[in-house]
Amino acid sequence: MALRKRDSEFRHLGVSYLEFKRVEMDRVLTGFLMRVNHNGQPGKLTGRFALTSDKFVQEFLDEKYADRFQGFGDSPEMARRWIETQLLDMVNRGKPSQAVAGLRPLHGLTYKFRNYYHSRAYGADAQLYEMLRHARGGRGSLALDGIRGFFFNGLDPALGTALPGGSLDVETQAVLHLNSQVKPDTPQTVKGWYSAPPLCVGQSDLLADDVLRLLSLRDLLPRIVMVEYLKILFAFHLALGQLKTMKLLPSFVERSGPEPGCGPENCPAGPDQGHAAFGTCPFQVGLFADAAGVPGSPAAALAERSAEVWLRRIPGFVRAGYVVRKLGEFAEHMAGRGEIAKPSGGYFTVAEVLRYGGKDYKERREQFFAARMDALLDETPVDEQPEEVRPLLDAAMGLGFFEQYIELLMAYRGKYHNDYIIDTIDSLLLKNRQGAVIAQPYRGRRRFVLDSALLEVLVQIALLRPNPRGTRSRFMYHTVSLRLDEFMDILRTRYGLYVNQLPVADGFASPGFEEQTALRSNAEAFTTRMREIGFYNDLSDAYLTQVITPRFVISEDGTVTAGGR
């Protein structure tokens, strides 16, 4: 049986903007920068640049622009390699089918030169923007302003044109030059789109706080390095948000409403709690990560078990997602008939939708979904349904029409969504790539890991503290040193990354002797990893002197000196 579109629709914007497809972070960042430039809306281009690598190369080698790009014409082959490797985002790179997806997101305007069919973000750009938009305490607005200031440098904020003078890197000069060749783009209104807060606003607060901390280093790090840091950080927080949602949504559906401690007014989590951001949250994310990154070790086995716990949560999340989506359609139907009032905001939140799954609306709900079931069974009668589906439709099962409808959707579409959600989580956790939190050898099992690139980003953030001098210093944060065990505590309480402990609430019991041995080995591997990335150096055997030091020390008065390593 082929489900109708209205039956197979799964996404509810109050749950997530993600379309659950494999995403590439270059394209997510490209789409996100478009939304940053248009206050959350996508952009509609009135003119397009020819998206082939040859066209880009010819543009930079043109004699008319020799004064802007000096030396390019003298070494055309070298210029071509630089353009294709440093400036262009390619699909199927190095293969006969390679094509230009767009420019690498090194500047805010790169989204103007994207090929839509090769540069889709599948909702991850919107999810990222809405997470920042809804962060509390003004942090989200500050973070978006900081991102706008960093990525759209060299532009007049009012006119969108290049500012005269100034010292700009060659990538920014290249993008500003290309921008002068195309017409301005305009915001585009998408039917049915609205701005919804994420299910976990504490996760949004933490993302905004991390962005503000990281951007405070923008004048101390090369631009390309900062862009890579931000891509890794964005992917990591998108993944954490999705994992948190996989815990939250089934609980909300089970109790027909949100948890009392959740929501913008009640959420106890966030950076105001210091580095113990989620210390009191009952829905914390817990991932045990293999610090050595070597498959087959006892620590790797624990990391595989941790990943399996989270993958087993996907079917429950899919079912809860269908419940919310279909109750939302039921609520919209009643509002359209004047039986209930539509919310003042113009859309039904998840909390409002779940009200219509309770006893007060049972009779009307059964009537609505009985019609849906009749339409499905008219096309494919019960005796023609797949064998595994028929028992669900037997009256002896005692299921109501709404439950039958949900179970039927799960039977037909559950595996489809399960597989695509795994793809999404893999891509957001950067599986087997720089910054990875998940790894999978060929035909092996997935396991959580801590790639050096991610560790470098998180340690840079962890070593920063709000500057008590505020705007009287040119840096809003100053650096501190941390003991190694303190940093592992921060990873656990702030991000749910476990190194020397087990996440008891996420599939583990208290550790036995073998687990304790594996944990000690994992902590030693973590120490080695920190030493390799250059933040940790053994000063002596004394425990209190085993500290992580910043690469550059920022004092409260804004003085910057080389870090002691």
Side-chain angles (χ1 to χ4, degrees):
M1 178 179 72
L3 296 178
R4 298 180 182 180
K5 183 178 180 181
R6 72 173 187 183
D7 298 311
S8 60
E9 287 287 353
F10 174 71
R11 186 173 64 158
H12 186 285
L13 300 187
V15 175
S16 177
Y17 288 85
L18 294 172
E19 295 177 22
F20 298 114
K21 299 286 179 67
R22 183 175 295 276
V23 298
E24 293 288 339
M25 283 310 298
D26 272 350
R27 290 137 212 190
V28 172
L29 185 52
T30 297
F32 171 70
L33 293 173
M34 172 180 60
R35 293 182 182 276
V36 169
N37 201 31
H38 295 303
N39 298 316
Q41 294 180 291
K44 182 179 182 180
L45 296 179
T46 55
R48 293 186 180 274
F49 195 87
L51 291 178
T52 66
S53 59
D54 287 340
K55 289 289 186 181
F56 278 106
V57 172
Q58 290 169 14
E59 181 73 15
F60 289 107
L61 295 180
D62 195 312
E63 291 183 2
K64 291 187 297 184
Y65 309 120
D67 58 329
R68 297 186 186 182
F69 304 105
Q70 297 179 14
F72 277 48
D74 299 333
S75 305
E77 190 56 35
M78 185 177 296
R80 174 183 290 276
R81 287 199 297 269
W82 177 82
I83 291 167
E84 291 188 347
T85 59
Q86 299 298 316
L87 202 61
L88 297 182
D89 174 24
M90 311 282 286
V91 295
N92 301 321
R93 187 183 292 274
K95 299 179 180 179
S97 59
Q98 79 169 16
V100 175
L103 298 179
R104 292 181 62 204
L106 301 174
H107 189 275
L109 292 176
T110 52
Y111 73 86
K112 288 189 176 185
F113 309 95
R114 70 195 186 280
N115 182 332
Y116 175 78
Y117 298 103
H118 294 309
S119 188
R120 297 184 64 183
Y122 296 108
D125 56 334
Q127 181 70 16
L128 182 58
Y129 188 89
E130 297 302 331
M131 286 178 72
L132 286 170
R133 187 208 290 266
H134 290 281
R136 296 172 294 180
R139 285 188 183 87
S141 296
L142 288 174
L144 287 170
D145 287 343
I147 290 167
R148 190 176 291 109
F150 173 72
F151 277 99
F152 290 86
N153 69 323
L155 282 178
D156 185 316
L159 302 176
T161 55
L163 292 169
S167 177
L168 300 175
D169 57 273
V170 66
E171 290 86 3
T172 297
Q173 292 181 51
V175 174
L176 293 179
H177 166 71
L178 292 173
N179 183 55
S180 67
Q181 311 296 308
V182 296
K183 296 179 181 180
D185 68 320
T186 57
Q188 181 181 16
T189 302
V190 178
K191 184 179 179 180
W193 198 264
Y194 55 86
S195 175
L199 286 188
C200 180
V201 71
Q203 201 69 49
S204 294
D205 295 344
L206 186 59
L207 167 61
D209 190 60
D210 278 1
V211 169
L212 288 172
R213 288 171 183 259
L214 196 55
L215 284 176
S216 71
L217 305 176
R218 56 182 290 183
D219 295 331
L220 303 176
L221 296 170
R223 181 178 182 81
I224 292 179
V225 172
M226 178 58 75
V227 172
E228 290 301 315
Y229 275 7
L230 286 169
K231 281 196 298 187
I232 290 171
L233 184 70
F234 288 158
F236 181 52
H237 276 283
L238 283 169
L240 290 182
Q242 174 57 30
L243 295 177
K244 178 70 72 69
T245 300
M246 284 164 50
K247 261 190 160 183
L248 281 169
L249 193 65
S251 176
F252 286 10
V253 169
E254 185 177 355
R255 59 179 294 122
S256 296
E259 295 286 335
C262 291
E265 298 81 16
N266 305 317
C267 176
D272 288 338
Q273 305 301 316
H275 283 303
F278 293 99
T280 60
C281 175
F283 297 99
Q284 296 178 62
V285 171
L287 317 174
F288 179 80
D290 170 23
V294 179
S297 67
L302 292 175
E304 289 173 355
R305 178 176 165 188
S306 184
E308 184 62 31
V309 167
W310 283 97
L311 294 179
R312 287 201 300 266
R313 287 193 167 114
I314 295 176
F317 167 72
V318 174
R319 189 184 191 285
Y322 264 130
V323 168
V324 170
R325 171 73 193 204
K326 300 311 169 185
L327 286 177
E329 292 172 4
F330 171 52
E332 291 284 355
H333 172 77
M334 290 196 296
R337 293 172 61 92
E339 298 176 42
I340 59 173
K342 196 156 188 175
S344 57
Y347 64 91
F348 290 93
T349 66
V350 172
E352 290 166 337
V353 160
L354 291 176
R355 288 174 47 206
Y356 301 106
K359 296 179 180 178
D360 293 345
Y361 294 90
K362 181 176 181 180
E363 184 176 344
R364 183 69 181 88
R365 185 174 66 248
E366 288 295 289
Q367 180 186 359
F368 176 79
F369 286 103
R372 287 277 180 102
M373 287 297 296
D374 285 344
L376 289 175
L377 296 179
D378 281 345
E379 294 181 2
T380 309
V382 173
D383 57 356
E384 295 180 15
Q385 296 282 351
E387 206 169 307
E388 65 273 15
V389 175
R390 294 175 200 168
L392 302 174
L393 308 177
D394 192 331
M397 290 286 290
L399 298 179
F401 290 115
F402 177 57
E403 291 173 302
Q404 281 187 343
Y405 184 65
I406 295 298
E407 294 300 335
L408 194 64
L409 296 181
M410 285 296 295
Y412 277 101
R413 301 286 287 178
K415 186 178 184 307
Y416 170 88
H417 290 301
N418 184 86
D419 292 347
Y420 273 109
I421 290 172
I422 290 175
D423 279 349
T424 302
I425 293 173
D426 280 350
S427 57
L428 293 178
L429 290 176
L430 303 176
K431 187 178 81 170
N432 297 339
R433 302 177 67 179
Q434 183 179 357
V437 189
I438 198 167
Q440 184 181 21
Y442 180 66
R443 293 186 177 178
R445 297 175 61 192
R446 289 173 176 81
R447 72 185 189 285
F448 293 126
V449 295
L450 279 174
D451 182 75
S452 297
L454 174 67
L455 270 180
E456 186 169 331
V457 173
L458 298 183
V459 74
Q460 296 270 31
I461 292 170
L463 294 174
L464 293 169
R465 296 290 184 276
N467 195 331
R469 293 196 178 196
T471 55
R472 288 178 296 158
S473 171
R474 69 188 184 103
F475 290 100
M476 296 298 293
Y477 296 87
H478 68 97
T479 56
V480 298
S481 295
L482 286 174
R483 293 201 316 269
L484 200 62
D485 62 309
E486 289 177 324
F487 182 50
M488 285 190 280
D489 288 344
I490 289 171
L491 291 179
R492 185 181 69 254
T493 58
R494 190 174 174 91
Y495 305 109
L497 294 171
Y498 285 67
V499 176
N500 58 345
Q501 297 183 30
L502 292 177
V504 175
D506 284 303
F508 291 90
S510 298
F513 176 77
E514 292 183 357
E515 287 84 1
Q516 288 175 348
T517 302
L519 292 175
R520 285 194 296 271
S521 174
N522 205 47
E524 292 170 2
F526 181 80
T527 303
T528 301
R529 182 62 61 85
M530 292 301 299
R531 188 183 297 113
E532 289 172 350
I533 64 176
F535 283 93
Y536 173 73
N537 192 17
D538 294 284
L539 300 179
S540 74
D541 291 334
Y543 189 67
L544 294 178
T545 63
Q546 297 178 0
V547 296
I548 301 169
T549 56
R551 289 179 175 169
F552 30 75
V553 176
I554 306 173
S555 63
E556 292 182 7
D557 64 5
T559 303
V560 179
T561 57
R565 288 183 290 146

